[in-house]
Amino acid sequence: MDWLSILRDSEKNKNDKLEAVGYIRDILDYGGKSDDTKIEIIDTLAEETILQNDDDIKESILDAMLEGSKAPSVEKSINLRPIINHLDEFNDECLSYILSMLGNSGNVEYRPIIELYKSNSRLEGDVKEALSELDYRIKRSLLSDW
């Protein structure tokens, strides 16, 4: 059974699902996959995250997505829309990962989404860091266009 089947199987327990996420994180980190393949995997994880009911599994998936998307071409290419459309379903720990990915994307359209969390004192540092990363990547992108 592949990792995605395990995540989608309601009969599988939490440990089985966390183990599947660990497996895919290893693939993203050490599997020597192309950036296009990593984007495809991370996009699938983004869709899968919103289907999970357990916050620990969601957090583990988001961590795998964040760590697996460290290449600049991957960070700016992953599709975060499935997650963005369900932000109210995530706890603060999960939102911390999401804010990081939004900032790392360099997508100026994500600024208002990041700023929605300015008033959450538990996420204040995450918001500042995400906005700083976003500004840096936007500036870097503009300079490379010259």
Side-chain angles (χ1 to χ4, degrees):
M1 186 175 279
D2 67 88
W3 63 271
L4 188 56
S5 298
I6 292 170
L7 287 176
R8 291 184 175 166
D9 187 342
S10 61
E11 300 295 316
K12 293 294 182 183
N13 66 37
K14 180 177 179 174
N15 287 336
D16 290 339
K17 291 184 179 200
L18 290 172
E19 189 174 309
V21 175
Y23 169 78
I24 198 58
R25 181 175 173 169
D26 286 347
I27 294 295
L28 290 169
D29 288 345
Y30 310 112
K33 300 292 184 188
S34 69
D35 285 354
D36 287 341
T37 300
K38 286 182 178 185
I39 292 166
E40 183 179 324
I41 291 169
I42 293 168
D43 285 352
T44 301
L45 288 173
E47 293 171 6
E48 194 57 38
T49 303
I50 61 172
L51 301 176
Q52 298 300 316
N53 296 320
D54 185 280
D55 286 336
D56 292 336
I57 296 170
K58 287 181 182 183
E59 187 175 350
S60 183
I61 292 171
L62 292 166
D63 178 59
M65 291 174 62
L66 179 63
E67 294 305 315
S69 66
K70 290 298 183 189
S73 63
V74 175
E75 289 176 321
K76 67 182 181 181
S77 299
I78 59 175
N79 180 14
L80 296 172
R81 277 285 151 210
I83 291 171
I84 291 168
N85 293 336
H86 294 270
L87 287 173
D88 59 333
E89 298 172 18
F90 293 97
N91 64 20
D92 287 348
E93 289 79 13
C94 291
L95 287 169
S96 176
Y97 288 100
I98 294 167
L99 290 168
S100 293
M101 287 187 279
L102 293 172
N104 292 348
S105 73
N107 185 338
V108 69
E109 294 177 15
Y110 292 158
R111 179 179 302 286
I113 297 167
I114 296 168
E115 290 177 342
L116 286 174
Y117 296 93
K118 277 185 170 180
S119 62
N120 183 332
S121 61
R122 293 182 64 191
L123 295 172
E124 185 177 346
D126 297 307
V127 169
K128 286 180 183 176
E129 185 176 325
L131 290 172
S132 176
E133 277 299 322
L134 184 68
D135 289 341
Y136 170 76
R137 290 161 193 264
I138 290 169
K139 182 179 177 181
R140 189 174 73 186
S141 175
L142 292 173
L143 291 175
S144 69
D145 289 343
W146 280 41

